[in-house]
Amino acid sequence: MTATAPITLDLDDIQSGALHPRPSPYAGRHLLLRIDDRTAGRELVRRLHGIVDAGRPSPDPARDAWLTLAFTYQGLKALGVPDDSLASFAPEFKEGMAARAALLGDVGDSGPANWEKPLGTPDVHVALAVLSPDVARLEAVAERARHGYADLHGVEVIWRQDCYQLPNERTSFGFKDGIGQPAVEGSGIPGTNPHETPIKAGEFILGYPDETGGLPPMPTPEVLGRNGTYVVFRKLHTRVAAYRQYVRAKAASREEEALMGAKMVGRWPSGAPLALSPERDDPTLGADPRRNNAFSYGDDLRGFKCPAGAHARRANPRDALDAEMTTDVRLHRMIRRGTSYGPMLPEGVLEDDGADRGIVFVFVGTHLDRQFEFVKTQWLNDGIFIGAPAEKDPLVGPNDGTGTLTIPRRPIRRRLQDLPPFVVTRGGEYCFAPGLRALRWLAELKT
């Protein structure tokens, strides 16, 4: 198998959640479980194996619903995975997110000492995620999962987070979400940017060539690693009132307020990208899935339409870095899924109401280091790659009240000063989502 050979994914062995874009609208639920008894843990895997969906595309994705099953490193240990297999996993996965928090910029209020328990603790062993286009189907799938663990002594649910789509498909900050997803070669699922050719399957699913032409390191034995993937799970609390207060204080008018927010995010609230509509929001463009992600930055290298430091451009610079021979954006692409939790702060309210609201972000990829960790540390938390080393992502970066964002404009650029933190990490985990044959292998372990 080479990177130039046609790729056929073993879709019957890949968990559906690894490849499927989430539905819209959606309802979701995240559960974390602890395994206190190895035998009970294996029985849990055996039962859930029968309801984990394979990744073959549905003929009607809008009506699809599925459950994803993943394990932390501590969870695989609790199941009794042999030491030589445990040693074969990625070092970042073995360390866990909490141990790497300082590297990721999760310090201060976002540090593990302030995380929502049990996130970041050795008690988290199993992660279950259910996604559905409606609450009724969500409850149906969740109930099937509940039958898998409800009567098992030695397995306990220790955390739950329900998610649901906010009005107008917006995040709690008020911007349309879930727009940009890459096409994965061999998956049969189209991407959202016609200018981007499909990404090699090995960037997202183990056992296939990645963008380097080689096979990414895979856990052993092969039955355990092949068709699996790493999953990054993060709960992020959003300080919506602080964001609104900031743009209100810095803007001279409501129109300038809207433009300033768009410059920080890289898109207008409707989802219309600044790259295509730099002067004003275009709800028709934002609502059109054929156009709202069909753009590049190559004609705007100086950032007059979309600042280089804007959140969306940092997370995926597209062709803006093509001139830099040392950076291949395709090596850092990820499948990203954000689901909202908590109520929307009512429109126009500038004071925090004390409600917990935010986003549960899930990232899927085979290289924790050069995908999630690289993007988080080098592109979101730093500004060296855009020539502004003192600047961080204005929306999700670890700003501390002294942050800045440069907005190019003629005749004089504008620089937003004193950016506070708008997003606080409540916790997270590095997980591994095995293929279906690997789930059966885990259930049948004899160690």
Side-chain angles (χ1 to χ4, degrees):
M1 184 182 293
T2 69
T4 57
I7 297 298
T8 301
L9 291 179
D10 190 357
L11 294 174
D12 291 328
D13 191 41
I14 299 169
Q15 291 199 48
S16 181
L19 294 173
H20 272 57
R22 63 163 170 72
S24 181
Y26 66 83
R29 180 169 300 158
H30 298 274
L31 299 174
L32 299 178
L33 296 84
R34 186 183 68 237
I35 298 171
D36 296 319
D37 178 81
R38 182 171 296 176
T39 300
R42 293 171 181 175
E43 176 62 15
L44 170 73
V45 178
R46 186 191 69 80
R47 294 180 183 183
L48 294 180
H49 174 271
I51 62 174
V52 172
D53 298 300
R56 193 168 294 282
S58 167
D60 184 10
R63 301 304 307 167
D64 208 0
W66 62 87
L67 176 143
T68 302
L69 174 60
F71 305 89
T72 65
Y73 179 70
Q74 296 298 327
L76 294 177
K77 288 178 66 175
L79 287 173
V81 171
D83 288 343
D84 56 346
S85 293
L86 291 172
S88 64
F89 281 87
E92 300 82 15
F93 171 72
K94 291 186 287 186
E95 286 187 45
M97 188 182 295
R100 302 180 68 77
L103 169 71
L104 297 173
D106 291 332
V107 297
D109 288 346
S110 291
N114 297 314
W115 285 5
E116 183 178 310
K117 302 303 180 190
L119 297 173
T121 73
D123 286 343
V124 179
H125 294 160
V126 181
L128 289 177
V130 182
L131 271 177
S132 169
D134 53 62
V135 173
R137 293 206 61 191
L138 170 74
E139 294 298 343
V141 176
E143 182 63 16
R144 292 177 66 196
R146 192 186 70 81
H147 285 302
Y149 57 76
D151 64 343
L152 279 178
H153 300 291
V155 173
E156 183 177 351
V157 176
I158 57 176
W159 187 82
R160 168 176 165 170
Q161 181 67 65
D162 289 337
C163 300
Y164 45 86
Q165 190 167 81
L166 295 172
N168 300 319
E169 304 178 39
R170 307 292 175 91
T171 67
S172 53
F173 285 120
F175 291 81
K176 184 178 177 67
D177 189 28
I179 295 177
Q181 293 295 343
V184 182
E185 185 181 44
S187 71
I189 302 173
T192 57
N193 183 0
H195 302 302
E196 181 181 62
T197 57
I199 306 294
K200 296 297 181 183
E203 294 294 323
F204 309 107
I205 304 296
L206 292 165
Y208 304 89
D210 61 19
E211 286 289 325
T212 71
L215 295 174
M218 189 171 72
T220 58
E222 182 176 351
V223 67
L224 174 60
R226 185 172 178 80
N227 291 320
T229 189
Y230 291 105
V231 176
V232 178
F233 160 87
R234 285 168 69 81
K235 181 176 180 179
L236 305 174
H237 171 73
T238 52
R239 292 176 168 171
V240 178
Y243 165 78
R244 292 179 181 177
Q245 291 170 15
Y246 182 85
V247 294
R248 178 68 57 86
K250 298 293 184 181
S253 66
R254 291 299 176 88
E255 291 75 18
E256 187 182 7
E257 189 177 323
L259 178 60
M260 187 182 305
K263 292 290 187 179
M264 293 169 67
V265 174
R267 291 181 180 272
W268 295 94
S270 72
L274 286 176
L276 298 180
S277 185
E279 300 298 331
R280 61 190 60 83
D281 200 354
D282 184 345
T284 301
L285 169 62
D288 188 345
R290 297 169 300 177
R291 297 191 296 140
N292 63 17
N293 202 42
F295 65 91
S296 58
Y297 296 119
D299 64 342
D300 184 35
L301 295 181
R302 297 183 63 185
F304 284 106
K305 290 191 290 185
C306 179
H311 168 66
R313 185 160 172 170
R314 281 175 171 270
N316 180 16
R318 304 183 186 228
D319 62 339
L321 304 182
D322 283 357
E324 300 181 22
M325 300 302 293
T326 59
T327 304
D328 185 347
V329 170
R330 294 171 67 87
L331 295 178
H332 310 296
R333 295 290 277 125
M334 298 174 290
I335 292 174
R336 287 186 296 238
R337 298 197 185 91
T339 51
S340 295
Y341 72 88
M344 198 84 169
L345 185 66
E347 186 175 354
V349 173
L350 298 179
E351 298 299 323
D352 185 28
D353 60 0
D356 187 19
R357 59 176 55 87
I359 302 169
V360 174
F361 261 119
V362 175
F363 303 81
V364 176
T366 56
H367 298 276
L368 288 171
D369 55 348
R370 70 165 166 82
Q371 290 174 310
F372 169 71
E373 291 197 348
F374 179 92
V375 171
K376 183 69 172 71
T377 61
Q378 303 300 309
W379 288 353
L380 299 183
N381 293 359
D382 204 326
I384 293 177
F385 85 108
I386 60 171
E391 295 190 7
K392 303 176 177 63
D393 188 299
L395 194 68
V396 305
N399 291 298
D400 58 4
T402 63
T404 60
L405 170 67
T406 300
I407 301 177
R409 64 179 185 178
R410 297 183 177 92
I412 302 173
R413 70 184 180 185
R414 178 170 187 182
R415 181 165 287 165
L416 297 182
Q417 306 277 8
D418 307 321
L419 280 163
F422 298 126
V423 173
V424 178
T425 304
R426 294 291 196 217
E429 301 288 346
Y430 285 160
C431 300
F432 179 71
L436 273 69
R437 282 190 288 270
L439 290 176
R440 184 177 298 278
W441 182 85
L442 289 169
E444 296 175 350
L445 280 170
K446 303 300 183 183
T447 54

